[in-house]
C-alpha cells in the first residue's frame, strides 16, 4: 500500500492520501482523543501518536494536525504506519453506522437563518457546495454553512482550514468576494 502525503497551506497540518475511500459520505472532524476513540478506530490510532492534536476525514484523505514543537519528519512515519495498518486490517474507518450518523448530525446542527431568507441561503449553500468545498478539500479541509443573518454569512472551518494562517485571507478575499458577486444580499463572511 502506498500512501501519498501533501503539504497544506496550514503548516501544522499534513494531508494523507491512502489511495482508498476514507469516508463514503460527509466528513468527520476530531479535535481530541476521547471523541476520536468513541467514533473511529483509525482516528484513535492516529491520536496515539504523541503530538497529534486533530484528525479530519474526507472522502479520500486524512488530514492530521500537530501541536507546536514536534516536527513532521518525526511524526510522519508513525502516522503513515497507523493509516497503513488500519487499511490493511480491513476494519471500518468509523466505529459504526451510528457514529457516522452522529458525526453527520453534528455537522448539520446549529444552522440559523430567517425563513424569509431561504432562497438566499439555498443559493449560498449551492455556491459553497459546488465552488468552495471542492477547492478547500484539495487543501485537506472543509467549510460548512452555519448561518445567515443581517447580510453576514457564518461558516465553520474544519480540517486543515481550522487554525490555518491563510484561512482568513481565503475567507475574506476568496469566499466573501464570490458570495457577494453572486448573492448581492451578502455583505460579509465570518468564521465561527
Amino acid at each position: 500500500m502506498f500512501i501519498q502525503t501533501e503539504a497544506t497551506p496550514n503548516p501544522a497540518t499534513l494531508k494523507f492520501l491512502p489511495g482508498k475511500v476514507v469516508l463514503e459520505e460527509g466528513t468527520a472532524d476530531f479535535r481530541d482523543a476521547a471523541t476520536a476513540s468513541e467514533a473511529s478506530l483509525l482516528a484513535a490510532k492516529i491520536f496515539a501518536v504523541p503530538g497529534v492534536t486533530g484528525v479530519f476525514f474526507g472522502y479520500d484523505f486524512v488530514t492530521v494536525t500537530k501541536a507546536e514543537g514536534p516536527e513532521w519528519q518525526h511524526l510522519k512515519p508513525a502516522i503513515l504506519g497507523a493509516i497503513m495498518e488500519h487499511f490493511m486490517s480491513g476494519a471500518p474507518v468509523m466505529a459504526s453506522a451510528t457514529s457516522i450518523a452522529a458525526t453527520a448530525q453534528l455537522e448539520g446542527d446549529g444552522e440559523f437563518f430567517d425563513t424569509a431568507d431561504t432562497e438566499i441561503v439555498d443559493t449560498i449553500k449551492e455556491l459553497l457546495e459546488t465552488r468552495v468545498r471542492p477547492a478547500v478539500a484539495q487543501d485537506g479541509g472543509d467549510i460548512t454553512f452555519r448561518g445567515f443573518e443581517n447580510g453576514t454569512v457564518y461558516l465553520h472551518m474544519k480540517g486543515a482550514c481550522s487554525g490555518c494562517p491563510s484561512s482568513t485571507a481565503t475567507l475574506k478575499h476568496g469566499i466573501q468576494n464570490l458570495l457577494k458577486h453572486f448573492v448581492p444580499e451578502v455583505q460579509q463572511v465570518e468564521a465561527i
Side-chain angles (χ1 to χ4, degrees):
M1 177 176 195
F2 178 72
I3 301 171
Q4 292 180 310
T5 58
E6 291 181 1
T8 71
N10 184 348
T13 303
L14 201 57
K15 182 177 174 182
F16 295 82
L17 298 136
K20 298 180 182 271
V21 172
V22 177
L23 275 186
E24 281 286 339
E25 289 182 30
T27 60
D29 194 10
F30 303 102
R31 292 289 147 203
D32 62 78
T35 307
S37 64
E38 292 173 14
S40 169
L41 184 58
L42 175 56
K45 286 179 184 177
I46 296 170
F47 265 106
V49 176
V52 171
T53 60
V55 176
F56 178 80
F57 298 146
Y59 176 75
D60 63 351
F61 65 90
V62 176
T63 303
V64 179
T65 304
K66 70 175 185 71
E68 281 189 46
E71 296 296 325
W72 280 118
Q73 64 194 25
H74 302 297
L75 297 174
K76 201 162 116 175
I79 295 167
L80 285 167
I83 294 170
M84 185 177 297
E85 179 184 301
H86 182 82
F87 280 104
M88 297 301 278
S89 76
V93 171
M94 299 301 282
S96 68
T98 309
S99 61
I100 294 169
T103 304
Q105 185 178 0
L106 285 173
E107 290 177 4
D109 284 353
E111 284 189 4
F112 57 91
F113 58 91
D114 189 321
T115 53
D117 294 330
T118 302
E119 193 174 317
I120 294 168
V121 168
D122 288 346
T123 303
I124 292 168
K125 285 181 175 182
E126 182 182 341
L127 287 166
L128 291 173
E129 197 64 37
T130 59
R131 298 191 181 214
V132 176
R133 291 183 75 201
V136 171
Q138 290 206 324
D139 287 336
D142 195 17
I143 294 179
T144 54
F145 175 84
R146 279 292 169 253
F148 178 69
E149 190 174 66
N150 299 324
T152 302
V153 177
Y154 295 93
L155 303 174
H156 182 221
M157 304 178 92
K158 300 184 282 189
C161 296
S162 180
C164 176
S166 64
S167 66
T168 303
T170 300
L171 199 65
K172 292 296 180 186
H173 301 295
I175 299 168
Q176 181 172 290
N177 288 345
L178 173 81
L179 293 178
K180 286 171 81 173
H181 176 78
F182 287 102
V183 186
E185 294 84 355
V186 172
Q187 296 168 6
Q188 64 180 350
V189 176
E190 296 290 332
I192 57 171

